[in-house]
Amino acid sequence: MNTHTAHLSPDDGYGVEEHEVQAVLAELVGDREGEDPAWWLTHLNSRHALLLAVASRVADLKALAADEIYRSMGEDRSYAKLGATLNLSRSRAQQLVERAARVNVDTEPG
């Protein structure tokens, strides 16, 4: 078993412990315990799709939170200031705000 700390990216600074990964994996995927390989593969494919959808939604929530911080900066806000606040590059901060705008459009009623 891998016991090191994994990271989302080399410079994100948010560590994920192996036991956390294993706990989510056990809860979401379960145990094969004699299941037919074809069924197991189908099950893993469906769990993979679910995890991708969840990861996308978490990314949307991060973008919305960054946009809220950006808007709270008032009239003198800038992507550079947002980036500095979030410890991100100016361009990454801008991408988050732009993603939030797309999320808002996609989730508006009607």
Side-chain angles (χ1 to χ4, degrees):
M1 181 165 100
N2 190 353
T3 59
H4 74 282
T5 300
H7 292 280
L8 296 173
S9 72
D11 52 345
D12 70 5
Y14 298 104
V16 177
E17 298 294 330
E18 181 64 21
H19 71 276
E20 296 171 311
V21 173
Q22 292 301 324
V24 171
L25 191 61
E27 182 69 27
L28 183 68
V29 174
D31 191 336
R32 181 175 174 184
E33 284 195 40
E35 294 291 347
D36 175 68
W39 179 90
W40 184 243
L41 181 60
T42 300
H43 175 69
L44 291 175
N45 283 334
S46 73
R47 300 299 82 188
H48 187 212
L50 175 60
L51 279 172
L52 291 174
V54 169
S56 179
R57 186 60 183 136
V58 169
D60 290 346
L61 293 171
K62 286 174 40 180
L64 291 168
D67 185 57
E68 186 176 341
I69 294 166
Y70 179 69
R71 292 176 186 283
S72 73
M73 292 178 160
E75 292 297 316
D76 64 336
R77 67 181 175 245
S78 71
Y79 296 129
K81 286 181 183 179
L82 178 63
T85 299
L86 301 178
N87 198 27
L88 300 171
S89 68
R90 185 212 55 79
S91 62
R92 182 64 185 124
Q94 181 177 353
Q95 289 170 352
L96 286 170
V97 172
E98 290 171 353
R99 181 179 183 127
R102 289 191 305 273
V103 170
N104 283 331
V105 168
D106 291 345
T107 58
E108 287 178 357

